[in-house]
Amino acid sequence: MAARLGEDGNLQALAHFITSSPWDAAHVRARLAWRMRQAIELTALIIDDTGFLKDGDASACVARQYTGTAGKVANCQAGVSLHLASDGTSVAANWRLFLPESWDPASPKADAAKVARRTKCGIPTEAGHVE
């Protein structure tokens, strides 16, 4: 989508559209997985984690945590994804940000400032840290 917008496209508006749209993300992801399952010859399911290094803490779920991206503990977000794969194709069918303990109000390691930012970041109240 971003490539189709070109250099004059409003990437911020696109990001806002994707993150603030009222659609049910679970439904969209299930439909994507179903369509891709029919389009590729599935040979493997791949579960992967990726670190997104961050300088500050303005983004959701940023914490000092280990990431293979840096090969050490760093200030980052951690994303977990499920890919449908074949010999020559891979598609991300589901993905989530990892919610660190410091962002979970039920955790003894909760950080009051981060917990207070959950609503602004769009983190559902029922979302919690999972080991």
Side-chain angles (χ1 to χ4, degrees), residues 9-91:
N10 188 336
L11 296 179
Q12 184 174 359
L14 174 61
H16 179 74
F17 168 73
I18 291 170
T19 59
S20 303
S21 291
W23 60 48
D24 180 1
H27 177 74
V28 172
R29 290 175 181 161
R31 192 161 179 194
L32 170 66
W34 181 252
R35 290 187 73 181
M36 289 299 99
R37 173 63 181 98
Q38 295 173 339
I40 67 174
E41 186 176 324
L42 182 65
T43 56
L45 294 175
I46 301 168
I47 299 173
D48 191 25
D49 66 287
T50 303
F52 307 100
L53 300 176
K54 298 292 183 175
D55 288 329
D57 61 358
S59 299
C61 301
V62 172
R64 290 202 46 81
Q65 54 195 330
Y66 178 81
T67 174
T69 303
K72 63 181 182 180
V73 173
N75 203 45
C76 68
Q77 292 172 311
V80 180
S81 58
L82 169 70
H83 296 255
L84 307 177
S86 68
D87 287 340
T89 307
S90 172
V91 62

